[in-house]
């Protein structure tokens, strides 16, 4: 098995495992009624380590998986949101953001805040008005607490994701321009 | 050049994925819960339910520990509050037994179904709702146990919600706090109305319908209800309602008449604790079976 295929398989298993943990344990971790979103942290890690394309792919499939567990929003809404967040984080990482120890927690915080707002705004535009039914105060609370959760969880999930993605095509592409020894196509 | 090609390819991939997501949203929205995506959702739910059950059982102690650690202070005061309530309820139970007999007789005379007579299925909650915008839980029983969309769901405290979708061995329950949830309710004094969810952290809103139809079919205009905090609210169980009569829904937490208004502004909190549901009971009842029976 080639390293690329093995890495993809590991990432798939990680996404499946995170979805099971999220649905089984996520609600037990509520603070002020707000649960963390482990999957969005995985997507942010994918964007940071693999670039925009890897972020988009991982975001789309992990979002689609999470859509299967939601009952009040249409299939594809989380996929769309996560895909855009993963791609944006990846694009920013390769063009603007510099490698820094605090990058992952900060990206986790900002990426989650953007993901939550995007989910609600796009959902509202597509007719899912119940997403704003609990009021703006609830939305603000979710944005702040979920983002703080992501900030805390980012390092540990990032550690696991980096090992799972070792050898994947996206990771090489992202690292290629920084390393002159690796020929570009 | 290579960087440009990569950027072009990334844009194409992103455009394709966004279009795919928008197509899925459109297909699902147009299918109204009966399309191919609903079937896939149902199959995924069935496939994951054993894994979820096992993970829930394995990780529950960790979750309970973390919940306990975060909410230790409030749990202690809640414990004391519950002890006081139990003492009060023991006395109340004796008085309620005779009142229930009378209530069942009234419902029988009016030809209305009563929740106490409906068979039920007990199920375990395997997903307590991990999304912050989806007020639903998943249980470990589905169509194989007779569960179908629309059936009422109860816990020890009262109405929890209703079944929104069911696969072979799992079902999803929409909780009463969800903004899309509406239930017909009966208020003290004979008034009727409906309760609507306002989100997980908000009390339910009760809107009064001043018309009261008596058992003889006559329509009587009742004065606006005079409610006080703590008054019980139960399901009305009228014809074409989604729930049988007599299920406790909540307690009034606020009932004030705003200046210039004729009807009171009423809110209530659910009797059932929705935060950490473990076991629930699904009543094998639907408005269709009720009509057929009636």
């Amino acid at each position: 098995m080639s390293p690329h295929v093995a890495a993809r398989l590991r990432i798939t298993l990680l996404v499946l495992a995170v979805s099971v943990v999220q649905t089984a344990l996520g609600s037990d971790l509520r603070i002020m009624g707000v649960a963390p979103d482990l999957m969005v942290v995985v997507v942010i890690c994918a964007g940071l380590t693999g670039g925009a394309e890897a972020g988009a792919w991982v975001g789309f499939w992990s979002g689609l998986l999470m859509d299967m567990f939601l009952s009040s929003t249409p299939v594809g809404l989380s996929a769309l949101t996560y895909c855009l967040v993963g791609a944006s984080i990846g694009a920013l990482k390769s063009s603007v953001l510099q490698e820094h120890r605090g990058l992952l927690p900060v990206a986790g915080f900002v990426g989650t805040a953007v993901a939550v707002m995007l989910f609600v705004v796009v959902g509202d535009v597509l007719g899912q008005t119940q997403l704003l039914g609990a009021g703006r105060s609830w939305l603000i609370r979710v944005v702040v607490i979920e983002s703080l959760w992501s900030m805390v969880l980012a390092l540990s999930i990032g550690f696991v994701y980096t090992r799972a993605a070792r050898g994947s095509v996206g990771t090489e592409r992202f690292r290629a321009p920084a390393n002159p020894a690796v020929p570009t196509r | 050049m290579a960087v440009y090609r990569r950027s072009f390819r990334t844009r194409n991939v992103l455009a394709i994925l966004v279009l795919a997501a928008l197509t899925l949203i459109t297909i699902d929205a147009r299918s109204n819960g009966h399309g191919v995506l609903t079937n896939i959702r149902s199959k995924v739910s069935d496939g994951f339910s054993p894994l979820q059950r096992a993970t829930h059982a394995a990780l529950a102690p960790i979750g309970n520990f973390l919940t306990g650690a975060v909410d230790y202070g409030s749990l202690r005061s809640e414990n004391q509050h519950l002890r006081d309530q139990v003492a009060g309820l023991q006395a109340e139970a004796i008085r309620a037994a005779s009142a229930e007999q009378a209530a069942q007789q009234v419902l029988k005379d009016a030809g209305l179904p009563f929740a106490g007579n409906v068979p039920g299925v007990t199920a375990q909650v395997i997903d307590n709702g991990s999304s912050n915008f989806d007020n639903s839980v998943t249980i470990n029983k589905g169509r194989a146990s007779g569960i179908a969309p629309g059936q009422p769901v109860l816990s020890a405290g009262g109405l929890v919600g209703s079944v929104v979708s069911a696969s072979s061995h799992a079902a999803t329950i929409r909780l009463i706090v969800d903004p899309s949830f509406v239930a017909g309710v009966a208020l003290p004094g004979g008034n009727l109305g409906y309760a609507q969810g306002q989100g997980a952290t908000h009390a339910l809103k009760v809107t009064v319908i001043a018309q009261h139809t008596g058992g003889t079919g006559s329509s009587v205009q009742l004065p606006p209800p005079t409610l006080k905090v703590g008054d019980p609210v139960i399901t009305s169980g009228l014809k074409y309602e989604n729930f049988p009569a007599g299920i406790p829904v909540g307690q009034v937490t606020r009932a004030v008449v705003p200046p210039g208004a004729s009807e009171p502004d009423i809110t209530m909190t659910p009797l059932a604790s929705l935060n950490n549901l473990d076991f629930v009971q699904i009543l094998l009842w639907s408005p269709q079976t009720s009509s057929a029976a009636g």
Side-chain angles (χ1 to χ4, degrees), chain A residues 30 35 72-73 75 146 185, chain B residues 2 9 28 41 67 129 132 134:
Chain A
R30 287 183 187 274
S72 61
T73 49
V75 173
E146 202 177 301
R185 279 187 287 168
Chain B
R9 183 191 144 98
D28 196 30
R41 231 178 198 170
T67 309
N132 293 315
D134 193 38

Side-chain angles (χ1 to χ4, degrees), chain A residues 20 22-23 27-30 35 52-53 57 67 70-75 120 134 138 141 146 173 177 185, chain B residues 2 5-6 9 13 24-25 28 41 52 55 66-67 127-134 136 198 201-202 276:
Chain A
V20 173
Q22 171 72 33
T23 54
S27 61
D28 291 330
L29 301 174
R30 287 183 187 274
E53 198 178 318
W57 278 114
D67 277 328
L70 302 178
S71 62
S72 61
T73 49
V75 173
V120 173
W138 173 247
R141 191 194 296 187
E146 202 177 301
R173 277 209 186 108
R185 279 187 287 168
Chain B
R5 267 210 308 272
R6 224 165 27 234
R9 183 191 144 98
V13 166
L24 288 171
I25 292 169
D28 196 30
R41 231 178 198 170
Q52 280 180 300
T55 314
L66 292 169
T67 309
D127 174 7
N128 248 315
S130 48
S131 166
N132 293 315
F133 296 100
D134 193 38
S136 63
Q198 303 284 309
T201 54
H202 293 70
N276 274 303

Side-chain angles (χ1 to χ4, degrees), chain B residues 145-165:
Chain B
S145 305
I147 293 168
Q151 290 173 340
V153 183
L154 282 64
S155 82
L159 188 67
V160 165
S162 64
V163 178
V164 68
S165 65

